[in-house]
Amino acid sequence: MNNYTKKDFPVANVRRLLEPGPIVLVSSAWKGKSNIMTMGWHMVMEFQPSLVGCIVSSANHSFEMIRKSRACVINVPTADLAATVVDIGNCSGRDVDKFEKFSLTPEPGVAVRAPAIRECYANFECRLADTRMVRKYNMFIFEVVRARVATAPKLPKTIHYRGDGEFMLSGAETRKWRKRFRPEML
Ligand SMILES: Cc1cc2nc3c(=O)[nH]c(=O)nc-3n(C[C@H](O)[C@H](O)[C@H](O)COP(=O)(O)O)c2cc1C
């Protein structure tokens, strides 16, 4: 068993250990314009309805676009798009058309008006389900109403953010502990 030596750690930095879900690109549309932002702070909240909580800073252009249109698409990019994912997070839709700047292809949403990003491995069309946490936490609760996922590869190499410019790319995959789950917990 591990016997780590530990030291005090700034509570503001616990994100560096808790955060690494896949980095996603959130696309939105409002009044004929579309936009994309990079997002690391998201959380699965329920199976059915399929709910996902997302923190979108009110300083971001996407904030009002999502709030007003009440929709977005959560797109899951793979490692080959990592540089683009960072660059998208380092500019604002206020100043640039990110689909054009980054040569990404918008695909019209079917269940929502926001466009999906063709080059991403998965696209989850979302409707805003609950805004009660927006004012206090900038937290939007979305319901995924349509999902499209690439048929191959089966396990995508996703990008995970550790904070402070450090990333992790998904790596070894195993089913080694699968038998330990109760079937209903899988
Ligand atoms: C790796 C990474 C993760 C990010 N995660 C978030 C996030 O979870 N929430 C957020 O509001 N902004 C996040 N950002 C910042 C936004 O992506 C950035 O402010 C973006 O440029 C906003 O674009 P917009 O003004 O066009 O909406 C992240 C940026 C990067 C590079």
Short mmCIF file of all heavy atoms in Angstrom, two decimals, residues 15 19 23-24 28 35-42 54-63 65 85-96 98 138 161 167, ligand 1:
data_model
loop_
_atom_site.label_atom_id
_atom_site.label_comp_id
_atom_site.label_asym_id
_atom_site.label_seq_id
_atom_site.Cartn_x
_atom_site.Cartn_y
_atom_site.Cartn_z
N ARG A 15 -8.42 21.70 -7.79
CA ARG A 15 -8.88 21.45 -9.15
C ARG A 15 -7.83 20.69 -9.95
O ARG A 15 -8.14 19.95 -10.86
CB ARG A 15 -9.23 22.75 -9.85
CG ARG A 15 -8.01 23.59 -10.24
CD ARG A 15 -8.45 24.89 -10.90
NE ARG A 15 -7.37 25.57 -11.57
CZ ARG A 15 -7.18 25.58 -12.90
NH1 ARG A 15 -7.99 24.93 -13.69
NH2 ARG A 15 -6.20 26.27 -13.43
N GLU A 19 -9.97 17.88 -11.59
CA GLU A 19 -10.57 18.36 -12.83
C GLU A 19 -10.59 17.38 -13.99
O GLU A 19 -11.53 17.41 -14.78
CB GLU A 19 -9.83 19.63 -13.26
CG GLU A 19 -10.72 20.61 -13.96
CD GLU A 19 -10.00 21.93 -14.11
OE1 GLU A 19 -9.88 22.62 -13.10
OE2 GLU A 19 -9.55 22.24 -15.21
N ILE A 23 -11.62 17.50 -21.76
CA ILE A 23 -11.86 18.87 -22.19
C ILE A 23 -12.86 18.82 -23.35
O ILE A 23 -12.76 17.95 -24.22
CB ILE A 23 -10.52 19.48 -22.67
CG1 ILE A 23 -9.65 19.85 -21.47
CG2 ILE A 23 -10.72 20.67 -23.59
CD1 ILE A 23 -10.15 21.04 -20.69
N VAL A 24 -13.83 19.72 -23.32
CA VAL A 24 -14.82 19.73 -24.39
C VAL A 24 -14.85 21.10 -25.06
O VAL A 24 -14.34 22.09 -24.52
CB VAL A 24 -16.23 19.37 -23.85
CG1 VAL A 24 -16.26 17.95 -23.29
CG2 VAL A 24 -16.72 20.37 -22.81
N SER A 28 -22.24 27.23 -29.68
CA SER A 28 -23.53 27.88 -29.44
C SER A 28 -23.87 28.77 -30.63
O SER A 28 -23.01 29.04 -31.49
CB SER A 28 -23.47 28.72 -28.16
OG SER A 28 -22.38 29.62 -28.21
N ASN A 35 -20.50 30.30 -32.16
CA ASN A 35 -19.28 30.48 -31.36
C ASN A 35 -18.86 29.15 -30.75
O ASN A 35 -19.65 28.19 -30.71
CB ASN A 35 -19.54 31.53 -30.26
CG ASN A 35 -18.26 32.00 -29.60
OD1 ASN A 35 -17.19 31.94 -30.20
ND2 ASN A 35 -18.35 32.43 -28.36
N ILE A 36 -17.61 29.14 -30.29
CA ILE A 36 -17.07 27.94 -29.62
C ILE A 36 -16.24 28.39 -28.42
O ILE A 36 -15.48 29.36 -28.52
CB ILE A 36 -16.12 27.14 -30.55
CG1 ILE A 36 -16.72 26.96 -31.95
CG2 ILE A 36 -15.78 25.81 -29.93
CD1 ILE A 36 -15.74 26.34 -32.96
N MET A 37 -16.37 27.69 -27.32
CA MET A 37 -15.44 27.90 -26.20
C MET A 37 -14.92 26.54 -25.71
O MET A 37 -15.55 25.50 -25.92
CB MET A 37 -16.09 28.65 -25.03
CG MET A 37 -17.18 27.90 -24.32
SD MET A 37 -17.67 28.69 -22.76
CE MET A 37 -16.49 27.97 -21.61
N THR A 38 -13.76 26.59 -25.09
CA THR A 38 -13.15 25.40 -24.50
C THR A 38 -13.64 25.30 -23.06
O THR A 38 -13.72 26.30 -22.37
CB THR A 38 -11.61 25.54 -24.54
OG1 THR A 38 -11.23 25.74 -25.90
CG2 THR A 38 -10.91 24.34 -23.96
N MET A 39 -13.96 24.09 -22.61
CA MET A 39 -14.48 23.96 -21.25
C MET A 39 -13.96 22.70 -20.55
O MET A 39 -14.01 21.59 -21.10
CB MET A 39 -16.01 23.91 -21.26
CG MET A 39 -16.60 23.86 -19.86
SD MET A 39 -18.39 23.91 -19.89
CE MET A 39 -18.70 22.29 -20.49
N GLY A 40 -13.44 22.91 -19.36
CA GLY A 40 -12.99 21.79 -18.55
C GLY A 40 -13.91 21.51 -17.36
O GLY A 40 -13.96 20.40 -16.84
N TRP A 41 -14.64 22.54 -16.93
CA TRP A 41 -15.43 22.40 -15.71
C TRP A 41 -16.85 21.94 -16.03
O TRP A 41 -17.77 22.73 -16.18
CB TRP A 41 -15.47 23.74 -14.96
CG TRP A 41 -14.15 24.10 -14.36
CD1 TRP A 41 -12.95 23.49 -14.56
CD2 TRP A 41 -13.89 25.18 -13.45
NE1 TRP A 41 -11.97 24.11 -13.85
CE2 TRP A 41 -12.50 25.14 -13.16
CE3 TRP A 41 -14.70 26.16 -12.86
CZ2 TRP A 41 -11.91 26.06 -12.30
CZ3 TRP A 41 -14.10 27.08 -12.00
CH2 TRP A 41 -12.73 27.03 -11.72
N HIS A 42 -17.01 20.64 -16.11
CA HIS A 42 -18.33 20.07 -16.35
C HIS A 42 -18.50 18.82 -15.51
O HIS A 42 -17.52 18.23 -15.04
CB HIS A 42 -18.53 19.75 -17.84
CG HIS A 42 -17.47 18.85 -18.41
ND1 HIS A 42 -17.46 17.50 -18.20
CD2 HIS A 42 -16.36 19.11 -19.14
CE1 HIS A 42 -16.41 16.97 -18.79
NE2 HIS A 42 -15.72 17.93 -19.37
N CYS A 54 -22.45 22.60 -16.22
CA CYS A 54 -21.28 23.24 -16.85
C CYS A 54 -21.06 24.63 -16.25
O CYS A 54 -22.02 25.39 -16.09
CB CYS A 54 -21.53 23.46 -18.34
SG CYS A 54 -21.80 21.95 -19.26
N ILE A 55 -19.82 24.93 -15.96
CA ILE A 55 -19.49 26.28 -15.49
C ILE A 55 -18.99 27.11 -16.67
O ILE A 55 -17.96 26.81 -17.27
CB ILE A 55 -18.39 26.24 -14.40
CG1 ILE A 55 -18.78 25.33 -13.23
CG2 ILE A 55 -18.07 27.67 -13.92
CD1 ILE A 55 -19.90 25.82 -12.35
N VAL A 56 -19.76 28.14 -16.99
CA VAL A 56 -19.38 29.05 -18.09
C VAL A 56 -19.23 30.44 -17.48
O VAL A 56 -20.22 31.04 -17.03
CB VAL A 56 -20.46 29.07 -19.19
CG1 VAL A 56 -20.06 30.05 -20.29
CG2 VAL A 56 -20.68 27.68 -19.77
N SER A 57 -18.03 30.94 -17.48
CA SER A 57 -17.78 32.25 -16.89
C SER A 57 -18.63 33.33 -17.57
O SER A 57 -18.78 33.33 -18.80
CB SER A 57 -16.29 32.60 -17.06
OG SER A 57 -16.11 33.98 -16.87
N SER A 58 -19.16 34.23 -16.74
CA SER A 58 -20.00 35.30 -17.31
C SER A 58 -19.16 36.28 -18.12
O SER A 58 -19.69 37.12 -18.84
CB SER A 58 -20.76 36.02 -16.20
OG SER A 58 -19.85 36.52 -15.26
N ALA A 59 -17.83 36.18 -18.01
CA ALA A 59 -16.95 37.04 -18.82
C ALA A 59 -16.86 36.52 -20.26
O ALA A 59 -16.40 37.24 -21.15
CB ALA A 59 -15.56 37.09 -18.19
N ASN A 60 -17.25 35.28 -20.48
CA ASN A 60 -17.15 34.71 -21.82
C ASN A 60 -18.31 35.15 -22.71
O ASN A 60 -19.45 35.23 -22.26
CB ASN A 60 -17.16 33.17 -21.75
CG ASN A 60 -15.89 32.62 -21.14
OD1 ASN A 60 -14.92 33.35 -20.96
ND2 ASN A 60 -15.90 31.35 -20.80
N HIS A 61 -18.01 35.35 -23.95
CA HIS A 61 -19.04 35.69 -24.94
C HIS A 61 -20.10 34.58 -24.99
O HIS A 61 -21.29 34.84 -25.15
CB HIS A 61 -18.36 35.85 -26.30
CG HIS A 61 -19.23 36.43 -27.36
ND1 HIS A 61 -19.92 37.62 -27.19
CD2 HIS A 61 -19.55 35.98 -28.60
CE1 HIS A 61 -20.62 37.87 -28.29
NE2 HIS A 61 -20.41 36.89 -29.15
N SER A 62 -19.65 33.35 -24.83
CA SER A 62 -20.57 32.20 -24.89
C SER A 62 -21.66 32.29 -23.82
O SER A 62 -22.75 31.75 -24.00
CB SER A 62 -19.80 30.90 -24.66
OG SER A 62 -18.80 30.75 -25.62
N PHE A 63 -21.36 32.92 -22.71
CA PHE A 63 -22.30 32.97 -21.58
C PHE A 63 -23.66 33.50 -22.03
O PHE A 63 -24.70 32.84 -21.85
CB PHE A 63 -21.71 33.83 -20.46
CG PHE A 63 -22.57 33.95 -19.23
CD1 PHE A 63 -22.42 33.06 -18.17
CD2 PHE A 63 -23.52 34.96 -19.11
CE1 PHE A 63 -23.21 33.17 -17.03
CE2 PHE A 63 -24.32 35.07 -17.97
CZ PHE A 63 -24.15 34.18 -16.94
N MET A 65 -24.70 34.00 -25.10
CA MET A 65 -25.22 33.25 -26.26
C MET A 65 -25.98 32.01 -25.78
O MET A 65 -27.05 31.69 -26.27
CB MET A 65 -24.07 32.84 -27.20
CG MET A 65 -23.42 34.04 -27.86
SD MET A 65 -22.17 33.59 -29.08
CE MET A 65 -23.12 32.83 -30.38
N VAL A 85 -7.79 23.24 -29.53
CA VAL A 85 -8.63 23.33 -28.32
C VAL A 85 -8.10 24.45 -27.40
O VAL A 85 -8.87 25.25 -26.87
CB VAL A 85 -8.65 21.96 -27.60
CG1 VAL A 85 -9.16 22.08 -26.18
CG2 VAL A 85 -9.50 20.97 -28.40
N VAL A 86 -6.79 24.51 -27.25
CA VAL A 86 -6.19 25.56 -26.40
C VAL A 86 -6.37 26.92 -27.07
O VAL A 86 -6.78 27.90 -26.42
CB VAL A 86 -4.69 25.26 -26.12
CG1 VAL A 86 -4.06 26.41 -25.35
CG2 VAL A 86 -4.54 23.96 -25.36
N ASP A 87 -6.11 26.98 -28.36
CA ASP A 87 -6.24 28.27 -29.06
C ASP A 87 -7.68 28.79 -29.02
O ASP A 87 -7.91 30.00 -28.89
CB ASP A 87 -5.76 28.13 -30.51
CG ASP A 87 -4.25 27.90 -30.59
OD1 ASP A 87 -3.56 28.08 -29.57
OD2 ASP A 87 -3.76 27.53 -31.68
N ILE A 88 -8.64 27.89 -29.11
CA ILE A 88 -10.06 28.31 -29.03
C ILE A 88 -10.35 28.92 -27.66
O ILE A 88 -11.13 29.86 -27.53
CB ILE A 88 -10.99 27.11 -29.32
CG1 ILE A 88 -10.95 26.78 -30.81
CG2 ILE A 88 -12.43 27.39 -28.87
CD1 ILE A 88 -11.70 25.52 -31.20
N GLY A 89 -9.68 28.38 -26.65
CA GLY A 89 -9.87 28.88 -25.30
C GLY A 89 -9.11 30.17 -25.03
O GLY A 89 -9.26 30.77 -23.97
N ASN A 90 -8.31 30.57 -25.98
CA ASN A 90 -7.51 31.78 -25.77
C ASN A 90 -7.89 32.93 -26.68
O ASN A 90 -7.10 33.85 -26.89
CB ASN A 90 -6.02 31.44 -25.93
CG ASN A 90 -5.50 30.80 -24.65
OD1 ASN A 90 -5.43 31.44 -23.62
ND2 ASN A 90 -5.21 29.52 -24.72
N CYS A 91 -9.09 32.86 -27.20
CA CYS A 91 -9.62 34.01 -27.94
C CYS A 91 -11.13 34.03 -27.72
O CYS A 91 -11.68 33.08 -27.18
CB CYS A 91 -9.26 33.93 -29.42
SG CYS A 91 -9.95 32.51 -30.26
N SER A 92 -11.74 35.13 -28.10
CA SER A 92 -13.17 35.26 -27.83
C SER A 92 -13.96 35.45 -29.11
O SER A 92 -13.53 36.15 -30.04
CB SER A 92 -13.42 36.44 -26.90
OG SER A 92 -14.83 36.59 -26.73
N GLY A 93 -15.14 34.86 -29.10
CA GLY A 93 -16.09 35.02 -30.20
C GLY A 93 -16.53 36.47 -30.38
O GLY A 93 -17.14 36.81 -31.39
N ARG A 94 -16.23 37.30 -29.41
CA ARG A 94 -16.50 38.74 -29.57
C ARG A 94 -15.66 39.30 -30.71
O ARG A 94 -16.04 40.23 -31.39
CB ARG A 94 -16.10 39.49 -28.29
CG ARG A 94 -17.19 39.64 -27.31
CD ARG A 94 -16.75 40.45 -26.09
NE ARG A 94 -17.42 39.90 -24.95
CZ ARG A 94 -16.88 39.07 -24.09
NH1 ARG A 94 -15.61 38.73 -24.21
NH2 ARG A 94 -17.59 38.59 -23.10
N ASP A 95 -14.45 38.74 -30.86
CA ASP A 95 -13.48 39.30 -31.82
C ASP A 95 -13.33 38.47 -33.09
O ASP A 95 -12.90 38.99 -34.10
CB ASP A 95 -12.09 39.38 -31.16
CG ASP A 95 -12.17 39.95 -29.76
OD1 ASP A 95 -12.82 41.00 -29.60
OD2 ASP A 95 -11.59 39.35 -28.83
N VAL A 96 -13.58 37.17 -32.99
CA VAL A 96 -13.33 36.31 -34.16
C VAL A 96 -14.45 35.29 -34.35
O VAL A 96 -15.13 34.92 -33.39
CB VAL A 96 -12.02 35.47 -34.00
CG1 VAL A 96 -10.80 36.27 -34.30
CG2 VAL A 96 -11.93 34.78 -32.66
N LYS A 98 -14.81 31.75 -34.68
CA LYS A 98 -13.89 30.65 -34.37
C LYS A 98 -14.05 29.47 -35.33
O LYS A 98 -13.09 28.76 -35.57
CB LYS A 98 -14.05 30.21 -32.91
CG LYS A 98 -13.71 31.32 -31.91
CD LYS A 98 -13.46 30.78 -30.52
CE LYS A 98 -13.73 31.83 -29.46
NZ LYS A 98 -13.50 31.34 -28.10
N ASN A 138 -22.49 30.62 -12.05
CA ASN A 138 -22.26 30.50 -13.52
C ASN A 138 -22.44 29.05 -13.98
O ASN A 138 -21.78 28.60 -14.92
CB ASN A 138 -20.87 30.99 -13.93
CG ASN A 138 -20.71 32.48 -13.79
OD1 ASN A 138 -21.69 33.22 -13.75
ND2 ASN A 138 -19.48 32.94 -13.70
N TYR A 161 -7.38 18.28 -18.70
CA TYR A 161 -6.62 19.43 -18.23
C TYR A 161 -6.32 19.33 -16.74
O TYR A 161 -7.24 19.13 -15.93
CB TYR A 161 -7.40 20.71 -18.53
CG TYR A 161 -6.61 21.97 -18.30
CD1 TYR A 161 -5.30 22.07 -18.76
CD2 TYR A 161 -7.14 23.06 -17.62
CE1 TYR A 161 -4.55 23.21 -18.55
CE2 TYR A 161 -6.42 24.20 -17.42
CZ TYR A 161 -5.11 24.28 -17.89
OH TYR A 161 -4.38 25.41 -17.68
N PHE A 167 -1.48 19.19 -19.34
CA PHE A 167 -2.53 18.32 -19.89
C PHE A 167 -2.16 16.86 -19.73
O PHE A 167 -0.99 16.50 -19.55
CB PHE A 167 -2.72 18.62 -21.38
CG PHE A 167 -3.41 19.93 -21.64
CD1 PHE A 167 -2.67 21.11 -21.67
CD2 PHE A 167 -4.77 20.00 -21.81
CE1 PHE A 167 -3.30 22.33 -21.89
CE2 PHE A 167 -5.41 21.21 -22.03
CZ PHE A 167 -4.66 22.38 -22.07
C1 LIG B 1 -8.07 24.10 -21.19
C2 LIG B 1 -9.08 25.19 -20.98
C3 LIG B 1 -10.17 24.95 -20.16
C4 LIG B 1 -11.13 25.95 -19.96
N1 LIG B 1 -12.21 25.69 -19.16
C5 LIG B 1 -13.17 26.66 -19.01
C6 LIG B 1 -14.34 26.39 -18.25
O1 LIG B 1 -14.56 25.29 -17.73
N2 LIG B 1 -15.25 27.39 -18.10
C7 LIG B 1 -15.07 28.62 -18.67
O2 LIG B 1 -15.92 29.50 -18.50
N3 LIG B 1 -13.97 28.90 -19.40
C8 LIG B 1 -13.02 27.94 -19.60
N4 LIG B 1 -11.93 28.20 -20.36
C9 LIG B 1 -11.76 29.54 -20.94
C10 LIG B 1 -12.62 29.78 -22.16
O3 LIG B 1 -12.49 28.70 -23.08
C11 LIG B 1 -12.18 31.08 -22.82
O4 LIG B 1 -12.42 32.15 -21.96
C12 LIG B 1 -12.83 31.26 -24.16
O5 LIG B 1 -11.96 31.96 -24.95
C13 LIG B 1 -14.18 31.93 -24.09
O6 LIG B 1 -14.61 32.17 -25.40
P1 LIG B 1 -15.82 33.13 -25.74
O7 LIG B 1 -15.54 34.51 -25.17
O8 LIG B 1 -15.85 33.14 -27.25
O9 LIG B 1 -17.05 32.52 -25.14
C14 LIG B 1 -10.97 27.21 -20.59
C15 LIG B 1 -9.87 27.45 -21.44
C16 LIG B 1 -8.94 26.44 -21.63
C17 LIG B 1 -7.77 26.70 -22.56
#
